[in-house]
Amino acid sequence: MSVHIDIAGLRPEQVAVVPSPLAELGMALHALSEPGHHPGLQGWVTGVTARLDPHLADRMCEADFLWRTTFSDLFLPYAGVPGTLPCATLAEELDLLDKLTDEQFVDAALEFTCAVGYGSSGPTALSDPGIRRRSLDLAAARGPQQLRFSERLLADPPRIRAWLRQFLQDCDEAFFAEAWSRLRHQLAADARHKTDLLRHRGLAEALAAVSPAVTLDEAAADIAVDKLGEARTTTGDGGLLLVPTSLGWPHLAVLHRYGWQPVLHYPVGSPELAAPPTLEQLALRMTALSHPVRMRICRNLARSAYTTGELAQAHGMTAPEISRHLAVLKKAGLITTRRRGRYVLHQLDVTVVARLGSEFLEGILR
């Protein structure tokens, strides 16, 4: 499972690595709404929450579906405005947000209510009564607050645009400007580093530095991002944007909305392993451990090294049966083997098993 970006015809100068204050504000709102996704930000979240004005906190709940699940494409508006890049200031990027059409704005805002047409062109909730009804039905299923916001959005998009702009400006004044003054230096340094890699070593090395989950097939002109989900997009006549975030780990987001410029929104300074398993490898390991016999075998192998014959005797099974279970565990990378004379000893790799919980969370939140 992967998100693929077709980069056929993409020229080196069409790839840009640029920090975005609006994208970082979106991730800050996400971290405040879902602190469990970001254990490394607990101190910052606690500090901001403690001093947050109650009125602003209430407004933050009005439209939290725009950033709680992940964060809306509205926080990457330059992707929907041809020929533009992230700006140096939040005010400039809010001006870009105003340049989105009403259809673009409403579709992006309703993404987590009704994702119809995300990967293709077609009628929108503003133009199609059927999609409009479905959007409101789905919003109602998520609670009265989301329904009220969606009704206001569909009835008067300019009013919601103004509400959102004022809300983001108030967040900037309350807590984000201070955070951005610290974070922008790290993001600028990372952007310079990735840009140097692009210029001197090529796109493949720059993408490898973005995340081990991002790979380039130069022959096929295809970028694959290892995520739980299947999607395709293309750079077409546009370019590719790489936007770093200091607050985003473990999320690696790919904007692949139809008609918008593809964006990789990637975490920097993350605690991720140098070579985390792919989602396929992770599924293989969890499947291997789900079998009750293999769980019992692992109990032995966690304590000491065993031969196949010893395991067969301990579990009342034949050596070929044990060998088949060991082959599954070995293919999943969960056990190690070593030879001692004429004996082959198997042992559980407890380090790999101990990491499975964090790798599972990283994989599903990526």
Side-chain angles (χ1 to χ4, degrees):
M1 290 180 286
S2 298
V3 177
H4 292 269
I5 304 174
D6 181 349
I7 59 169
L10 182 70
R11 300 187 304 275
E13 64 271 17
Q14 291 177 295
V15 183
V17 191
V18 190
S20 165
L22 182 55
E24 198 70 349
L25 174 52
M27 193 52 69
L29 289 166
H30 170 66
L32 290 169
S33 299
E34 287 286 1
H37 288 194
H38 305 273
L41 299 177
Q42 291 287 355
W44 178 80
V45 168
T46 300
V48 170
T49 303
R51 64 176 187 270
L52 201 62
D53 175 75
H55 178 58
L56 182 59
D58 288 342
R59 291 161 63 204
M60 195 177 292
C61 293
E62 281 190 54
D64 65 352
F65 66 92
L66 293 178
W67 51 78
R68 180 183 288 275
T69 305
T70 168
F71 69 98
S72 170
D73 291 346
L74 291 176
F75 291 100
L76 305 165
Y78 28 82
V81 182
T84 61
L85 295 174
C87 304
T89 68
L90 180 64
E92 291 174 299
E93 291 199 333
L94 291 177
D95 288 341
L96 285 182
L97 187 59
D98 289 339
K99 292 184 179 180
L100 296 177
T101 66
D102 281 350
E103 287 76 13
Q104 286 178 305
F105 184 87
V106 170
D107 282 356
L110 290 177
E111 177 186 345
F112 303 112
T113 297
C114 178
V116 172
Y118 186 91
S120 60
S121 62
T124 70
L126 284 181
S127 63
D128 187 290
I131 295 177
R132 183 189 188 94
R133 284 192 299 272
R134 181 182 175 188
S135 298
L136 292 176
D137 286 345
L138 291 172
R142 289 161 172 80
Q145 189 163 277
Q146 189 161 335
L147 175 60
R148 285 194 297 270
F149 188 91
S150 299
E151 288 173 336
R152 290 163 52 205
L153 173 68
L154 288 167
D156 193 351
R159 182 182 176 188
I160 295 300
R161 284 176 181 269
W163 179 93
L164 182 62
R165 182 180 183 118
Q166 187 60 57
F167 168 73
L168 295 175
Q169 288 172 334
D170 291 346
C171 288
D172 184 47
E173 183 179 342
F175 62 86
F176 182 68
E178 178 186 356
W180 181 248
S181 68
R182 294 182 290 102
L183 300 175
R184 62 188 178 90
H185 302 293
Q186 180 190 23
L187 297 178
D190 183 83
R192 287 194 298 271
H193 172 61
K194 299 294 192 301
T195 300
D196 285 343
L197 287 176
L198 277 168
R199 290 174 179 169
H200 302 298
R201 298 190 181 182
L203 182 58
E205 290 218 23
L207 292 176
V210 162
S211 170
V214 183
T215 55
L216 171 65
D217 184 337
E218 294 189 77
D222 178 80
I223 296 171
V225 185
D226 188 39
K227 289 176 68 70
L228 276 173
E230 291 281 353
R232 289 191 171 274
T233 188
T234 178
T235 54
D237 296 329
L240 175 67
L241 281 175
L242 309 181
V243 177
T245 168
S246 289
L247 302 176
W249 189 87
H251 306 302
L252 173 63
V254 187
L255 190 158
H256 54 92
R257 181 179 293 277
Y258 181 85
W260 290 44
Q261 185 175 9
V263 180
L264 278 173
H265 189 219
Y266 66 93
V268 302
S270 66
E272 68 181 350
L273 302 170
T278 64
L279 292 172
E280 182 180 359
Q281 291 170 324
L282 183 60
L284 194 64
R285 289 175 181 176
M286 298 184 73
T287 301
L289 290 174
S290 68
H291 195 287
V293 172
R294 290 195 284 272
M295 289 178 68
R296 292 196 295 270
I297 290 173
C298 285
R299 188 172 189 271
N300 295 104
L301 300 184
R303 289 167 166 77
S304 181
Y306 282 75
T307 67
T308 301
E310 289 172 329
L311 290 169
Q313 185 176 4
H315 292 274
M317 300 172 67
T318 66
E321 288 174 323
I322 290 293
S323 292
R324 285 193 290 272
H325 286 299
L326 290 174
V328 173
L329 292 169
K330 187 172 183 179
K331 183 179 180 181
L334 296 170
I335 63 173
T336 60
T337 60
R338 68 180 188 275
R339 182 172 290 279
R340 182 179 292 169
R342 63 190 182 90
Y343 297 103
V344 175
L345 298 172
H346 311 279
Q347 193 159 16
L348 189 71
D349 191 331
V350 293
T351 303
V352 171
V353 177
R355 289 200 303 254
L356 270 177
S358 60
E359 289 174 346
F360 174 73
L361 283 173
E362 189 275 338
I364 63 173
L365 293 175
R366 186 186 300 163

